[in-house]
Amino acid sequence: MTSVRDDAMTSKAWPFEEARRLLKRYAKAPPEKGHVLFETGYGPSGLPHIGTFGEVARTSMIRRAFEEISDIPTRLVCFSDDMDGMRKVPDNVPNREMLLENLQRPLTSVPDPFGEYESFGHYNNAMLRRFLDTFGFEYEFISATDFYKSGQFDPILLRAAERYDEIMKVMLKSLREERQQSYSCFLPIHPETGRVLYVPMKEVNAKDGTITFDDEDGREWTLPVTGGQVKLQWKPDFGARWAALDVDFEMYGKDHSTNTPIYDGICEILGGKKPEHFTYELFLDENGEKISKSKGNGLTIDEWLTYASPESLSYFMFQKPKTAKRMYFDVIPKAVDEYHQQLRAYPGQTQAQQLANPVWHIHGGNPPESKMVVPFSMLLNLASVAGATDKDGLWGFIQRYAPEATPETHPDLDQAAEFAVRYFRDFVAPKRVFRLPDDRERAAMEDLLARLKAWEGGLDAEALQSEVFAVGKAHGFEPLRAWFKALYEVLLGASEGPRFGGFIALYGLQESISLIEKALNGELIV
């Protein structure tokens, strides 16, 4: 039998493909710093969104894959650009007037609109760390404010002053002519107002490590580039950070991809080695627009965790990172059920198949057993027809279907039952639209009703599914999908639903008979 490492070296799972590419970076000699450094960047201009989480989740998957194929130690740094000036006030925070008074000040100098932390930057950093800690990520957090003010960035900033013309040459090629006139890679922090200034330089003195400029009132100032009195524009900052930390790997969204040559060029000008990159497609909201921290559109991490487990979100992140993803509440049920399908498949797979299974990457090579004997989509439909207002209302049905299951022995199912009731209440119930069957559908449902009344096969989900299937065929539904769609719309008020035989087995034979009778009598239409 081949070793895990041997199979990992040929696995087509994208984290292993990226890990092997990174390993080639040190094919000739190990890193001088003694480890491989993964980095994720975060701009705390607004509350963290799921895209931010996705970068850390996916980077952690690649890091874990790398550790499987290499003995080189690894680190993961989450870097917050919290010294960036606040350019606009996010739509989803309180105390807008106070924030408007603090525009262009570094985020760690803007008062916290929530009144909980010493600044807005500190608040957003705390939210990010809480989210990441919820998922058990192993990471080191670095604040740009601390990095600049502590002097850790000083050697690179002094080198940037020495090589200012080279950096400017890279940057000016990417700018429109009018922007070129006032652009500088250095952004001074005004000594009096504390605002980040976007002003041209009158002089960059490499020998003294200072910059000279006029502020908006025409007063001339000279500041050292060190000690946190000056920061870099965000594109140069990206490359400078890579050089300062000696970053080996960073991923970012497609919207950054055109800047990659700029980031790489500045990193190399400053004496660094450009890292390996991975560009992922963007996350979209329900309208197909890019998710934005300042807009607050799309799902938040807290919102996902209100209706589903952290693992289901990690599963969603694993899937096709090179494909744009619509991130809205309706993607949750599918993610939950597919995650558990993969968990159930895992024990019977070959080692190579396990390495390609998303749950290997979600759980660091040690996935748990799934106790979800009832799919999440089925729980949603059960909550619908049973009118359940809490998870206890579902457990009576679950235990008749799976007598061995209890909340204690099946904690993931117990948690999912609670999530299902919440999801049904907030998203399914308000959108349900029941209808009456047409003549052919009515005839087929009356046939199904008669067969169920005469049924002696017990609560065998597959046998019941075959019977429902046979009714559809007997009444000429082509494709058969139309028959099941009619059942869902008439009985459940939705155009999609579970395997209907499994639903009958879970809900109960007599209960299902009663449901069909009510639907045929028009009692479900309010």
Side-chain angles (χ1 to χ4, degrees):
M1 180 179 175
T2 57
S3 68
V4 174
R5 180 166 291 187
D6 287 341
D7 282 339
M9 288 300 290
T10 58
S11 175
K12 289 191 168 69
W14 64 263
F16 282 119
E17 291 180 340
E18 291 305 309
R20 291 195 297 270
R21 190 162 60 85
L22 179 56
L23 186 60
K24 290 178 183 176
R25 185 178 177 90
Y26 293 111
K28 294 180 180 178
E32 289 183 16
K33 61 182 178 292
H35 60 269
V36 165
L37 184 64
F38 294 81
E39 185 190 47
T40 63
Y42 166 59
S45 55
L47 306 181
H49 60 56
I50 279 184
T52 309
F53 159 80
E55 284 191 13
V56 184
R58 288 167 169 169
T59 302
S60 296
M61 291 174 185
I62 297 169
R63 180 189 183 190
R64 177 66 184 83
F66 182 87
E67 291 171 343
E68 197 63 57
I69 64 172
S70 172
D71 297 322
I72 302 173
T74 65
R75 290 172 59 206
L76 170 59
V77 164
C78 182
F79 194 101
S80 172
D81 189 16
D82 54 21
M83 204 168 159
D84 193 23
M86 185 175 68
R87 290 182 288 278
K88 59 182 177 179
V89 177
D91 296 335
N92 57 345
V93 296
N95 292 316
R96 288 184 58 82
E97 288 186 12
M98 178 273 289
L99 291 175
L100 284 169
E101 293 173 2
N102 284 274
L103 285 175
Q104 299 307 331
R105 296 187 73 199
L107 290 157
T108 44
S109 298
V110 175
D112 176 15
F114 298 94
E116 297 177 23
Y117 290 86
E118 59 187 280
S119 75
F120 190 34
H122 285 87
Y123 175 88
N124 287 324
N125 286 341
M127 294 304 100
L128 174 70
R129 296 177 77 167
R130 178 171 67 83
F131 291 148
L132 300 183
D133 292 344
T134 296
F135 290 84
F137 292 123
E138 293 180 16
Y139 68 97
E140 301 164 43
F141 183 81
I142 296 180
S143 155
T145 301
D146 294 341
F147 203 59
Y148 273 93
K149 289 186 175 181
S150 67
Q152 289 174 273
F153 218 1
D154 284 356
I156 288 294
L157 292 166
L158 289 169
R159 197 172 300 158
E162 291 171 9
R163 302 175 186 179
Y164 181 75
D165 291 341
E166 290 179 71
I167 294 172
M168 288 294 287
K169 186 176 179 183
V170 170
M171 290 307 306
L172 293 178
K173 282 193 295 187
S174 69
L175 302 173
R176 295 190 305 271
E177 187 175 347
E178 62 205 64
R179 182 81 176 94
Q180 291 177 356
Q181 307 307 313
S182 61
Y183 183 86
S184 170
C185 64
F186 287 121
L187 300 177
I189 313 296
H190 198 290
E192 293 179 349
T193 66
R195 298 184 189 278
V196 180
L197 300 181
Y198 292 78
V199 291
M201 295 297 104
K202 294 176 77 172
E203 182 188 15
V204 175
N205 188 319
K207 181 173 173 290
D208 296 340
T210 60
I211 57 171
T212 300
F213 60 93
D214 288 342
D215 66 14
E216 296 103 320
D217 298 325
R219 289 186 297 166
E220 183 177 284
W221 298 84
T222 296
L223 295 178
V225 297
T226 53
Q229 297 191 63
V230 172
K231 78 175 296 289
L232 290 168
Q233 288 261 16
W234 72 272
K235 289 179 187 178
D237 187 89
F238 226 106
R241 198 166 68 222
W242 287 349
L245 293 170
D246 193 10
V247 173
D248 292 297
F249 179 92
E250 179 152 358
M251 68 164 54
Y252 38 77
K254 184 182 177 181
D255 51 344
H256 280 272
S257 60
T258 54
N259 295 325
T260 298
I262 296 173
Y263 305 155
D264 285 348
I266 289 172
C267 176
E268 291 173 338
I269 287 169
L270 294 173
K273 179 181 180 182
K274 64 182 181 182
E276 306 302 317
H277 320 109
F278 180 89
T279 304
Y280 60 84
E281 269 286 358
L282 302 180
F283 296 100
L284 311 175
D285 66 10
E286 61 176 324
N287 301 314
E289 296 180 1
K290 178 192 167 189
I291 287 177
S292 161
K293 288 191 291 291
S294 59
K295 285 184 183 177
N297 58 336
L299 275 174
T300 67
I301 303 171
D302 276 344
E303 285 171 335
W304 186 293
L305 298 183
T306 299
Y307 304 105
S309 67
E311 295 80 12
S312 64
L313 177 54
S314 295
Y315 172 82
F316 184 86
M317 288 297 166
F318 180 89
Q319 298 300 310
K320 298 180 179 177
K322 296 283 189 179
T323 301
K325 281 186 168 58
R326 184 175 159 278
M327 285 288 294
Y328 201 60
F329 294 101
D330 55 4
V331 305
I332 292 176
K334 185 169 183 278
V336 173
D337 283 341
E338 287 184 0
Y339 163 70
H340 281 280
Q341 286 168 11
Q342 297 288 3
L343 273 184
R344 287 192 292 273
Y346 187 86
Q349 292 177 326
T350 65
Q351 183 171 270
Q353 289 171 332
Q354 288 178 340
L355 292 176
N357 189 321
V359 300
W360 188 97
H361 301 273
I362 293 166
H363 295 283
N366 189 28
E369 178 188 358
S370 172
K371 295 291 189 84
M372 277 283 286
V373 293
V374 179
F376 189 71
S377 57
M378 192 85 80
L379 291 173
L380 286 176
N381 291 115
L382 182 59
S384 174
V385 297
T389 56
D390 57 42
K391 65 180 180 180
D392 296 337
L394 300 184
W395 265 104
F397 295 98
I398 293 170
Q399 288 181 316
R400 182 169 57 189
Y401 178 76
E404 76 287 355
T406 68
E408 291 74 32
T409 60
H410 291 62
D412 48 0
L413 180 58
D414 185 54
Q415 184 188 51
E418 184 171 349
F419 286 144
V421 171
R422 286 183 203 161
Y423 191 94
F424 167 74
R425 179 193 65 217
D426 294 345
F427 300 109
V428 179
K431 296 179 181 178
R432 285 192 300 174
V433 179
F434 293 93
R435 67 172 177 85
L436 290 170
D438 63 24
D439 291 343
R440 182 173 64 149
E441 292 165 349
R442 177 176 289 276
M445 290 180 193
E446 288 174 345
D447 183 4
L448 176 60
L449 186 62
R451 296 190 192 204
L452 292 179
K453 286 180 177 179
W455 184 257
E456 296 182 351
L459 296 177
D460 183 323
E462 288 304 316
L464 286 163
Q465 179 72 6
S466 296
E467 194 73 3
V468 178
F469 201 83
V471 171
K473 290 193 80 170
H475 289 265
F477 284 90
E478 195 62 46
L480 273 169
R481 190 185 305 114
W483 163 232
F484 288 98
K485 186 171 184 284
L487 286 171
Y488 302 143
E489 290 177 349
V490 173
L491 302 179
L492 302 176
S495 58
E496 296 180 349
R499 282 175 62 83
F500 207 75
F503 172 75
I504 296 171
L506 177 62
Y507 188 44
L509 193 61
Q510 292 306 315
E511 288 82 357
S512 299
I513 289 169
S514 175
L515 178 65
I516 296 171
E517 288 177 336
K518 286 180 181 178
L520 293 175
N521 292 333
E523 295 175 37
L524 299 182
I525 299 176
V526 180

